[in-house]
DNA sequence: GTACGTGCAAAGAATTTGCAGATAA
DNA sequence: TTATCTGCAAATTCTTTGCACGTAC
């Protein structure tokens, strides 16, 4: 994904595009791995040697407040971030720890939306805990 | 809820009932407030003055491993525990921070169960983030 | 030049670990 | 007795805060 696209993506969400912010958002958009703060920091440090972890914290907090990313708490230890904000569920494999995207059909989304009808719902998250296909085959 | 019932509840889940374990489980069954470790500790300390926070951590980890409680990560700061393990969703109010139980209809559960069909799903959690009725009225 | 962004170091909070004493079968 | 359970203190990990320096408009 080229930098201009990332710039636009940030501006759409009301975020001024600094060099660090662009790099972090680009990382999230290109790596659909639901990374932790630490993974983002470690992977970007070789590219931006002056990067500090505080900046990664600040930036992701800002992205989250501007609804530019999803924050996943499916992992008890660390918050994980997802640059892909459309409707989808997440599966955490209890064996390998990987987090997978699970597409959601309308048959799920429609009744679910009705469930929240009596409240002011801003965000819905669905987490599955189980074993992924790969780990199932291997054992 | 009397102690014998709590004893049984623990034994059903393969947990030896010590005094501390019974107190903590009884607390969870009688207080459907999704408490944090700290809330449990603080509330039980007057009843069990020798209780240590380590024991509360140990005990809830054990309960969770034995599927005797649900662990909610809907709150980014602390894990919250729920002694009520049947199907229901949770709503976290962004204003007051309270976590509410939301009953789930079959129209939600059935298509949701089908979504996970290709995986080995052991647990499903649904989180709503929004504003509760009380806070909506007040503002 | 003023406001905003970044990054260091220190502080704070949540959780885990190591170990010794207590308890129960 | 022998396992297990408990609880203190220390260690570790994750996150936030305070502040000074840089940068951009």
């Amino acid at each position: 994904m080229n930098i201009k696209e990332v710039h636009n993506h940030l501006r759409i969400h009301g975020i001024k595009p600094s060099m660090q912010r662009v790099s972090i958002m680009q990382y999230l958009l290109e790596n659909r791995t639901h990374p932790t703060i630490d993974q983002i920091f470690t992977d970007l440090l070789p590219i931006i040697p002056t990067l500090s972890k505080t900046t990664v914290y600040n930036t992701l907090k800002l992205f989250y407040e501007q609804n530019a990313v999803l924050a996943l708490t499916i992992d008890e230890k660390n918050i994980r971030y997802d640059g892909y904000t459309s409707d989808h569920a997440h599966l955490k494999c209890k064996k390998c720890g990987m987090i997978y995207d699970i597409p959601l059909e309308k048959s799920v989304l429609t009744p679910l939306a009705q469930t929240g009808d009596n409240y002011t719902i801003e965000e819905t998250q669905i987490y599955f805990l189980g074993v992924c296909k790969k780990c199932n085959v291997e054992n």
Side-chain angles (χ1 to χ4, degrees), chain A:
Chain A
M1 183 169 290
N2 76 56
I3 293 180
K4 285 224 169 165
E5 286 180 85
V6 181
H7 269 240
N8 277 335
H9 188 81
L10 290 179
R11 286 219 186 79
I12 287 166
H13 289 95
I15 299 161
K16 284 189 200 166
S18 74
M19 191 261 268
Q20 287 86 341
R21 290 172 180 177
V22 171
S23 297
I24 293 171
M25 182 52 85
Q26 186 176 23
Y27 179 89
L28 283 174
L29 294 174
E30 289 180 354
N31 297 276
R32 295 276 304 279
T33 52
H34 316 95
T36 61
I37 294 276
D38 204 65
Q39 283 167 343
I40 298 167
F41 173 72
T42 306
D43 288 351
L44 290 181
L45 197 56
I47 300 162
I48 314 169
T50 61
L51 185 65
S52 99
K53 206 175 270 189
T54 303
T55 298
V56 184
Y57 274 102
N58 289 340
T59 302
L60 284 160
K61 193 181 177 186
L62 176 69
F63 287 1
Y64 178 69
E65 286 166 356
Q66 302 296 331
N67 294 310
V69 297
L70 291 180
L72 309 184
T73 56
I74 193 169
D75 181 328
E76 296 101 50
K77 304 261 180 196
N78 309 100
I79 299 178
R80 289 167 173 278
Y81 292 90
D82 191 340
Y84 179 62
T85 54
S86 317
D87 284 322
H88 62 291
H90 292 101
L91 166 75
K92 182 183 171 197
C93 175
K94 284 190 173 183
K95 289 196 177 166
C96 67
M98 274 278 286
I99 294 171
Y100 297 88
D101 289 338
I102 309 279
L104 289 177
E105 304 292 333
K106 272 195 182 165
S107 60
V108 176
L109 290 171
T110 308
L112 198 63
Q114 286 162 4
T115 299
D117 258 1
N118 295 318
Y119 310 86
T120 310
I121 304 294
E122 294 172 18
E123 196 184 319
T124 302
Q125 298 223 1
I126 300 180
Y127 296 152
F128 294 110
L129 293 169
V131 180
C132 72
K133 290 178 191 173
K134 212 165 69 178
C135 288
N136 257 335
V137 172
E138 283 170 6
N139 290 276

PDB file of all heavy atoms in Angstrom, chain A residues 81-110:
ATOM      1  N   TYR A  81      -4.245  -4.971  17.999  1.00  0.00           N
ATOM      2  CA  TYR A  81      -4.865  -3.974  17.135  1.00  0.00           C
ATOM      3  C   TYR A  81      -5.116  -4.523  15.737  1.00  0.00           C
ATOM      4  O   TYR A  81      -4.344  -5.322  15.212  1.00  0.00           O
ATOM      5  CB  TYR A  81      -4.006  -2.708  17.099  1.00  0.00           C
ATOM      6  CG  TYR A  81      -4.012  -2.019  18.444  1.00  0.00           C
ATOM      7  CD1 TYR A  81      -3.058  -2.321  19.413  1.00  0.00           C
ATOM      8  CD2 TYR A  81      -5.023  -1.123  18.770  1.00  0.00           C
ATOM      9  CE1 TYR A  81      -3.094  -1.714  20.659  1.00  0.00           C
ATOM     10  CE2 TYR A  81      -5.063  -0.515  20.014  1.00  0.00           C
ATOM     11  CZ  TYR A  81      -4.095  -0.807  20.958  1.00  0.00           C
ATOM     12  OH  TYR A  81      -4.130  -0.227  22.189  1.00  0.00           O
ATOM     13  N   ASP A  82      -6.220  -4.063  15.162  1.00  0.00           N
ATOM     14  CA  ASP A  82      -6.660  -4.546  13.858  1.00  0.00           C
ATOM     15  C   ASP A  82      -7.012  -3.331  13.007  1.00  0.00           C
ATOM     16  O   ASP A  82      -7.882  -2.544  13.362  1.00  0.00           O
ATOM     17  CB  ASP A  82      -7.894  -5.439  14.070  1.00  0.00           C
ATOM     18  CG  ASP A  82      -8.274  -6.200  12.812  1.00  0.00           C
ATOM     19  OD1 ASP A  82      -7.858  -5.791  11.719  1.00  0.00           O
ATOM     20  OD2 ASP A  82      -8.986  -7.204  12.940  1.00  0.00           O
ATOM     21  N   GLY A  83      -6.293  -3.168  11.896  1.00  0.00           N
ATOM     22  CA  GLY A  83      -6.519  -2.011  11.034  1.00  0.00           C
ATOM     23  C   GLY A  83      -7.729  -2.175  10.141  1.00  0.00           C
ATOM     24  O   GLY A  83      -8.149  -1.239   9.456  1.00  0.00           O
ATOM     25  N   TYR A  84      -8.297  -3.370  10.171  1.00  0.00           N
ATOM     26  CA  TYR A  84      -9.413  -3.702   9.309  1.00  0.00           C
ATOM     27  C   TYR A  84     -10.685  -3.603  10.153  1.00  0.00           C
ATOM     28  O   TYR A  84     -10.936  -4.448  11.007  1.00  0.00           O
ATOM     29  CB  TYR A  84      -9.187  -5.121   8.790  1.00  0.00           C
ATOM     30  CG  TYR A  84     -10.211  -5.707   7.884  1.00  0.00           C
ATOM     31  CD1 TYR A  84     -10.488  -5.137   6.641  1.00  0.00           C
ATOM     32  CD2 TYR A  84     -10.881  -6.877   8.252  1.00  0.00           C
ATOM     33  CE1 TYR A  84     -11.423  -5.712   5.793  1.00  0.00           C
ATOM     34  CE2 TYR A  84     -11.816  -7.458   7.399  1.00  0.00           C
ATOM     35  CZ  TYR A  84     -12.081  -6.872   6.178  1.00  0.00           C
ATOM     36  OH  TYR A  84     -13.009  -7.450   5.341  1.00  0.00           O
ATOM     37  N   THR A  85     -11.456  -2.523   9.960  1.00  0.00           N
ATOM     38  CA  THR A  85     -12.533  -2.234  10.911  1.00  0.00           C
ATOM     39  C   THR A  85     -13.920  -2.729  10.487  1.00  0.00           C
ATOM     40  O   THR A  85     -14.889  -2.478  11.181  1.00  0.00           O
ATOM     41  CB  THR A  85     -12.616  -0.711  11.178  1.00  0.00           C
ATOM     42  OG1 THR A  85     -12.735  -0.026   9.933  1.00  0.00           O
ATOM     43  CG2 THR A  85     -11.384  -0.207  11.908  1.00  0.00           C
ATOM     44  N   SER A  86     -14.016  -3.450   9.361  1.00  0.00           N
ATOM     45  CA  SER A  86     -15.333  -3.967   8.965  1.00  0.00           C
ATOM     46  C   SER A  86     -15.757  -5.112   9.874  1.00  0.00           C
ATOM     47  O   SER A  86     -14.973  -5.619  10.666  1.00  0.00           O
ATOM     48  CB  SER A  86     -15.294  -4.460   7.525  1.00  0.00           C
ATOM     49  OG  SER A  86     -14.590  -3.559   6.717  1.00  0.00           O
ATOM     50  N   ASP A  87     -17.011  -5.526   9.716  1.00  0.00           N
ATOM     51  CA  ASP A  87     -17.571  -6.576  10.571  1.00  0.00           C
ATOM     52  C   ASP A  87     -16.916  -7.930  10.336  1.00  0.00           C
ATOM     53  O   ASP A  87     -17.008  -8.493   9.255  1.00  0.00           O
ATOM     54  CB  ASP A  87     -19.073  -6.732  10.280  1.00  0.00           C
ATOM     55  CG  ASP A  87     -19.866  -5.611  10.905  1.00  0.00           C
ATOM     56  OD1 ASP A  87     -19.525  -5.195  12.020  1.00  0.00           O
ATOM     57  OD2 ASP A  87     -20.837  -5.156  10.264  1.00  0.00           O
ATOM     58  N   HIS A  88     -16.289  -8.427  11.357  1.00  0.00           N
ATOM     59  CA  HIS A  88     -15.801  -9.799  11.317  1.00  0.00           C
ATOM     60  C   HIS A  88     -15.510 -10.229  12.745  1.00  0.00           C
ATOM     61  O   HIS A  88     -15.251  -9.402  13.609  1.00  0.00           O
ATOM     62  CB  HIS A  88     -14.571  -9.937  10.422  1.00  0.00           C
ATOM     63  CG  HIS A  88     -13.378  -9.147  10.879  1.00  0.00           C
ATOM     64  ND1 HIS A  88     -13.333  -7.766  10.845  1.00  0.00           N
ATOM     65  CD2 HIS A  88     -12.193  -9.533  11.392  1.00  0.00           C
ATOM     66  CE1 HIS A  88     -12.169  -7.344  11.312  1.00  0.00           C
ATOM     67  NE2 HIS A  88     -11.463  -8.393  11.662  1.00  0.00           N
ATOM     68  N   ALA A  89     -15.584 -11.522  12.977  1.00  0.00           N
ATOM     69  CA  ALA A  89     -15.310 -12.042  14.310  1.00  0.00           C
ATOM     70  C   ALA A  89     -13.848 -12.480  14.377  1.00  0.00           C
ATOM     71  O   ALA A  89     -13.150 -12.485  13.362  1.00  0.00           O
ATOM     72  CB  ALA A  89     -16.227 -13.224  14.614  1.00  0.00           C
ATOM     73  N   HIS A  90     -13.387 -12.830  15.569  1.00  0.00           N
ATOM     74  CA  HIS A  90     -12.019 -13.304  15.746  1.00  0.00           C
ATOM     75  C   HIS A  90     -11.989 -14.634  16.479  1.00  0.00           C
ATOM     76  O   HIS A  90     -12.763 -14.849  17.406  1.00  0.00           O
ATOM     77  CB  HIS A  90     -11.199 -12.266  16.510  1.00  0.00           C
ATOM     78  CG  HIS A  90     -10.978 -11.012  15.728  1.00  0.00           C
ATOM     79  ND1 HIS A  90     -11.706  -9.868  15.923  1.00  0.00           N
ATOM     80  CD2 HIS A  90     -10.128 -10.755  14.705  1.00  0.00           C
ATOM     81  CE1 HIS A  90     -11.312  -8.951  15.055  1.00  0.00           C
ATOM     82  NE2 HIS A  90     -10.359  -9.445  14.305  1.00  0.00           N
ATOM     83  N   LEU A  91     -11.104 -15.488  15.991  1.00  0.00           N
ATOM     84  CA  LEU A  91     -10.898 -16.779  16.645  1.00  0.00           C
ATOM     85  C   LEU A  91      -9.490 -16.819  17.206  1.00  0.00           C
ATOM     86  O   LEU A  91      -8.527 -16.579  16.484  1.00  0.00           O
ATOM     87  CB  LEU A  91     -11.051 -17.918  15.629  1.00  0.00           C
ATOM     88  CG  LEU A  91     -10.545 -19.298  16.070  1.00  0.00           C
ATOM     89  CD1 LEU A  91     -11.492 -19.942  17.074  1.00  0.00           C
ATOM     90  CD2 LEU A  91     -10.356 -20.222  14.871  1.00  0.00           C
ATOM     91  N   LYS A  92      -9.377 -17.109  18.487  1.00  0.00           N
ATOM     92  CA  LYS A  92      -8.049 -17.310  19.055  1.00  0.00           C
ATOM     93  C   LYS A  92      -7.817 -18.795  19.261  1.00  0.00           C
ATOM     94  O   LYS A  92      -8.597 -19.473  19.942  1.00  0.00           O
ATOM     95  CB  LYS A  92      -7.902 -16.584  20.396  1.00  0.00           C
ATOM     96  CG  LYS A  92      -6.495 -16.745  20.958  1.00  0.00           C
ATOM     97  CD  LYS A  92      -6.329 -16.101  22.310  1.00  0.00           C
ATOM     98  CE  LYS A  92      -4.989 -16.494  22.906  1.00  0.00           C
ATOM     99  NZ  LYS A  92      -4.944 -16.229  24.354  1.00  0.00           N
ATOM    100  N   CYS A  93      -6.747 -19.292  18.663  1.00  0.00           N
ATOM    101  CA  CYS A  93      -6.408 -20.708  18.812  1.00  0.00           C
ATOM    102  C   CYS A  93      -5.727 -20.902  20.153  1.00  0.00           C
ATOM    103  O   CYS A  93      -4.734 -20.247  20.466  1.00  0.00           O
ATOM    104  CB  CYS A  93      -5.496 -21.167  17.683  1.00  0.00           C
ATOM    105  SG  CYS A  93      -4.948 -22.868  17.915  1.00  0.00           S
ATOM    106  N   LYS A  94      -6.271 -21.826  20.953  1.00  0.00           N
ATOM    107  CA  LYS A  94      -5.719 -22.069  22.283  1.00  0.00           C
ATOM    108  C   LYS A  94      -4.372 -22.776  22.218  1.00  0.00           C
ATOM    109  O   LYS A  94      -3.634 -22.765  23.195  1.00  0.00           O
ATOM    110  CB  LYS A  94      -6.687 -22.937  23.097  1.00  0.00           C
ATOM    111  CG  LYS A  94      -7.897 -22.181  23.626  1.00  0.00           C
ATOM    112  CD  LYS A  94      -8.669 -23.030  24.618  1.00  0.00           C
ATOM    113  CE  LYS A  94      -9.786 -22.227  25.281  1.00  0.00           C
ATOM    114  NZ  LYS A  94     -10.494 -23.029  26.306  1.00  0.00           N
ATOM    115  N   LYS A  95      -4.076 -23.408  21.077  1.00  0.00           N
ATOM    116  CA  LYS A  95      -2.801 -24.116  20.985  1.00  0.00           C
ATOM    117  C   LYS A  95      -1.678 -23.222  20.488  1.00  0.00           C
ATOM    118  O   LYS A  95      -0.642 -23.112  21.122  1.00  0.00           O
ATOM    119  CB  LYS A  95      -2.940 -25.355  20.083  1.00  0.00           C
ATOM    120  CG  LYS A  95      -3.773 -26.437  20.758  1.00  0.00           C
ATOM    121  CD  LYS A  95      -3.621 -27.787  20.097  1.00  0.00           C
ATOM    122  CE  LYS A  95      -4.440 -28.819  20.874  1.00  0.00           C
ATOM    123  NZ  LYS A  95      -4.632 -30.077  20.145  1.00  0.00           N
ATOM    124  N   CYS A  96      -1.888 -22.573  19.352  1.00  0.00           N
ATOM    125  CA  CYS A  96      -0.782 -21.789  18.786  1.00  0.00           C
ATOM    126  C   CYS A  96      -0.876 -20.304  19.129  1.00  0.00           C
ATOM    127  O   CYS A  96       0.073 -19.556  18.897  1.00  0.00           O
ATOM    128  CB  CYS A  96      -0.696 -21.982  17.274  1.00  0.00           C
ATOM    129  SG  CYS A  96      -2.087 -21.317  16.337  1.00  0.00           S
ATOM    130  N   GLY A  97      -2.014 -19.882  19.677  1.00  0.00           N
ATOM    131  CA  GLY A  97      -2.149 -18.484  20.079  1.00  0.00           C
ATOM    132  C   GLY A  97      -2.483 -17.530  18.949  1.00  0.00           C
ATOM    133  O   GLY A  97      -2.723 -16.350  19.189  1.00  0.00           O
ATOM    134  N   MET A  98      -2.488 -18.020  17.725  1.00  0.00           N
ATOM    135  CA  MET A  98      -2.799 -17.158  16.574  1.00  0.00           C
ATOM    136  C   MET A  98      -4.239 -16.646  16.646  1.00  0.00           C
ATOM    137  O   MET A  98      -5.122 -17.328  17.162  1.00  0.00           O
ATOM    138  CB  MET A  98      -2.645 -17.950  15.275  1.00  0.00           C
ATOM    139  CG  MET A  98      -1.244 -17.968  14.727  1.00  0.00           C
ATOM    140  SD  MET A  98      -0.871 -16.474  13.770  1.00  0.00           S
ATOM    141  CE  MET A  98      -1.838 -16.801  12.267  1.00  0.00           C
ATOM    142  N   ILE A  99      -4.448 -15.466  16.097  1.00  0.00           N
ATOM    143  CA  ILE A  99      -5.787 -14.905  16.020  1.00  0.00           C
ATOM    144  C   ILE A  99      -6.191 -14.799  14.558  1.00  0.00           C
ATOM    145  O   ILE A  99      -5.480 -14.200  13.752  1.00  0.00           O
ATOM    146  CB  ILE A  99      -5.841 -13.548  16.731  1.00  0.00           C
ATOM    147  CG1 ILE A  99      -5.610 -13.788  18.230  1.00  0.00           C
ATOM    148  CG2 ILE A  99      -7.183 -12.865  16.496  1.00  0.00           C
ATOM    149  CD1 ILE A  99      -5.427 -12.550  19.037  1.00  0.00           C
ATOM    150  N   TYR A 100      -7.319 -15.417  14.234  1.00  0.00           N
ATOM    151  CA  TYR A 100      -7.787 -15.468  12.857  1.00  0.00           C
ATOM    152  C   TYR A 100      -9.035 -14.606  12.687  1.00  0.00           C
ATOM    153  O   TYR A 100      -9.821 -14.454  13.620  1.00  0.00           O
ATOM    154  CB  TYR A 100      -8.143 -16.911  12.473  1.00  0.00           C
ATOM    155  CG  TYR A 100      -6.981 -17.855  12.511  1.00  0.00           C
ATOM    156  CD1 TYR A 100      -6.633 -18.528  13.678  1.00  0.00           C
ATOM    157  CD2 TYR A 100      -6.208 -18.085  11.375  1.00  0.00           C
ATOM    158  CE1 TYR A 100      -5.550 -19.398  13.719  1.00  0.00           C
ATOM    159  CE2 TYR A 100      -5.127 -18.952  11.397  1.00  0.00           C
ATOM    160  CZ  TYR A 100      -4.805 -19.606  12.569  1.00  0.00           C
ATOM    161  OH  TYR A 100      -3.732 -20.465  12.605  1.00  0.00           O
ATOM    162  N   ASP A 101      -9.207 -14.093  11.480  1.00  0.00           N
ATOM    163  CA  ASP A 101     -10.446 -13.394  11.136  1.00  0.00           C
ATOM    164  C   ASP A 101     -11.488 -14.411  10.712  1.00  0.00           C
ATOM    165  O   ASP A 101     -11.189 -15.351   9.973  1.00  0.00           O
ATOM    166  CB  ASP A 101     -10.206 -12.437   9.958  1.00  0.00           C
ATOM    167  CG  ASP A 101      -9.359 -11.244  10.353  1.00  0.00           C
ATOM    168  OD1 ASP A 101      -9.312 -10.925  11.556  1.00  0.00           O
ATOM    169  OD2 ASP A 101      -8.746 -10.627   9.464  1.00  0.00           O
ATOM    170  N   ILE A 102     -12.710 -14.218  11.168  1.00  0.00           N
ATOM    171  CA  ILE A 102     -13.822 -15.080  10.768  1.00  0.00           C
ATOM    172  C   ILE A 102     -14.890 -14.184  10.146  1.00  0.00           C
ATOM    173  O   ILE A 102     -15.432 -13.319  10.820  1.00  0.00           O
ATOM    174  CB  ILE A 102     -14.455 -15.793  11.979  1.00  0.00           C
ATOM    175  CG1 ILE A 102     -13.396 -16.497  12.828  1.00  0.00           C
ATOM    176  CG2 ILE A 102     -15.566 -16.726  11.552  1.00  0.00           C
ATOM    177  CD1 ILE A 102     -12.961 -17.821  12.311  1.00  0.00           C
ATOM    178  N   PRO A 103     -15.180 -14.378   8.850  1.00  0.00           N
ATOM    179  CA  PRO A 103     -16.228 -13.542   8.242  1.00  0.00           C
ATOM    180  C   PRO A 103     -17.578 -13.827   8.869  1.00  0.00           C
ATOM    181  O   PRO A 103     -17.851 -14.945   9.298  1.00  0.00           O
ATOM    182  CB  PRO A 103     -16.194 -13.950   6.767  1.00  0.00           C
ATOM    183  CG  PRO A 103     -15.466 -15.242   6.713  1.00  0.00           C
ATOM    184  CD  PRO A 103     -14.605 -15.345   7.930  1.00  0.00           C
ATOM    185  N   LEU A 104     -18.416 -12.820   8.953  1.00  0.00           N
ATOM    186  CA  LEU A 104     -19.746 -12.993   9.540  1.00  0.00           C
ATOM    187  C   LEU A 104     -20.826 -12.814   8.484  1.00  0.00           C
ATOM    188  O   LEU A 104     -20.839 -11.826   7.747  1.00  0.00           O
ATOM    189  CB  LEU A 104     -19.955 -11.972  10.667  1.00  0.00           C
ATOM    190  CG  LEU A 104     -19.153 -12.217  11.933  1.00  0.00           C
ATOM    191  CD1 LEU A 104     -19.394 -11.101  12.933  1.00  0.00           C
ATOM    192  CD2 LEU A 104     -19.533 -13.563  12.564  1.00  0.00           C
ATOM    193  N   GLU A 105     -21.731 -13.767   8.435  1.00  0.00           N
ATOM    194  CA  GLU A 105     -22.848 -13.719   7.480  1.00  0.00           C
ATOM    195  C   GLU A 105     -23.940 -12.798   8.003  1.00  0.00           C
ATOM    196  O   GLU A 105     -24.031 -12.535   9.196  1.00  0.00           O
ATOM    197  CB  GLU A 105     -23.431 -15.127   7.311  1.00  0.00           C
ATOM    198  CG  GLU A 105     -22.444 -16.186   6.889  1.00  0.00           C
ATOM    199  CD  GLU A 105     -21.944 -15.985   5.470  1.00  0.00           C
ATOM    200  OE1 GLU A 105     -22.690 -15.391   4.664  1.00  0.00           O
ATOM    201  OE2 GLU A 105     -20.800 -16.403   5.169  1.00  0.00           O
ATOM    202  N   LYS A 106     -24.801 -12.386   7.110  1.00  0.00           N
ATOM    203  CA  LYS A 106     -25.950 -11.563   7.509  1.00  0.00           C
ATOM    204  C   LYS A 106     -26.849 -12.293   8.498  1.00  0.00           C
ATOM    205  O   LYS A 106     -27.460 -11.679   9.362  1.00  0.00           O
ATOM    206  CB  LYS A 106     -26.772 -11.181   6.266  1.00  0.00           C
ATOM    207  CG  LYS A 106     -26.274  -9.905   5.607  1.00  0.00           C
ATOM    208  CD  LYS A 106     -27.311  -9.362   4.623  1.00  0.00           C
ATOM    209  CE  LYS A 106     -26.771  -8.114   3.927  1.00  0.00           C
ATOM    210  NZ  LYS A 106     -27.567  -7.758   2.739  1.00  0.00           N
ATOM    211  N   SER A 107     -26.900 -13.622   8.364  1.00  0.00           N
ATOM    212  CA  SER A 107     -27.754 -14.413   9.258  1.00  0.00           C
ATOM    213  C   SER A 107     -27.306 -14.255  10.708  1.00  0.00           C
ATOM    214  O   SER A 107     -28.077 -14.477  11.636  1.00  0.00           O
ATOM    215  CB  SER A 107     -27.724 -15.886   8.856  1.00  0.00           C
ATOM    216  OG  SER A 107     -26.400 -16.375   8.939  1.00  0.00           O
ATOM    217  N   VAL A 108     -26.058 -13.885  10.908  1.00  0.00           N
ATOM    218  CA  VAL A 108     -25.570 -13.625  12.257  1.00  0.00           C
ATOM    219  C   VAL A 108     -25.745 -12.145  12.606  1.00  0.00           C
ATOM    220  O   VAL A 108     -26.243 -11.791  13.675  1.00  0.00           O
ATOM    221  CB  VAL A 108     -24.073 -13.997  12.393  1.00  0.00           C
ATOM    222  CG1 VAL A 108     -23.555 -13.622  13.764  1.00  0.00           C
ATOM    223  CG2 VAL A 108     -23.868 -15.476  12.123  1.00  0.00           C
ATOM    224  N   LEU A 109     -25.336 -11.296  11.671  1.00  0.00           N
ATOM    225  CA  LEU A 109     -25.295  -9.861  11.965  1.00  0.00           C
ATOM    226  C   LEU A 109     -26.675  -9.264  12.214  1.00  0.00           C
ATOM    227  O   LEU A 109     -26.845  -8.433  13.109  1.00  0.00           O
ATOM    228  CB  LEU A 109     -24.607  -9.116  10.818  1.00  0.00           C
ATOM    229  CG  LEU A 109     -23.103  -9.383  10.712  1.00  0.00           C
ATOM    230  CD1 LEU A 109     -22.546  -8.789   9.428  1.00  0.00           C
ATOM    231  CD2 LEU A 109     -22.383  -8.801  11.918  1.00  0.00           C
ATOM    232  N   THR A 110     -27.666  -9.691  11.428  1.00  0.00           N
ATOM    233  CA  THR A 110     -28.988  -9.087  11.558  1.00  0.00           C
ATOM    234  C   THR A 110     -29.616  -9.366  12.924  1.00  0.00           C
ATOM    235  O   THR A 110     -29.980  -8.419  13.631  1.00  0.00           O
ATOM    236  CB  THR A 110     -29.893  -9.542  10.401  1.00  0.00           C
ATOM    237  OG1 THR A 110     -29.192  -9.284   9.174  1.00  0.00           O
ATOM    238  CG2 THR A 110     -31.192  -8.777  10.396  1.00  0.00           C
TER     239      THR A 110
END
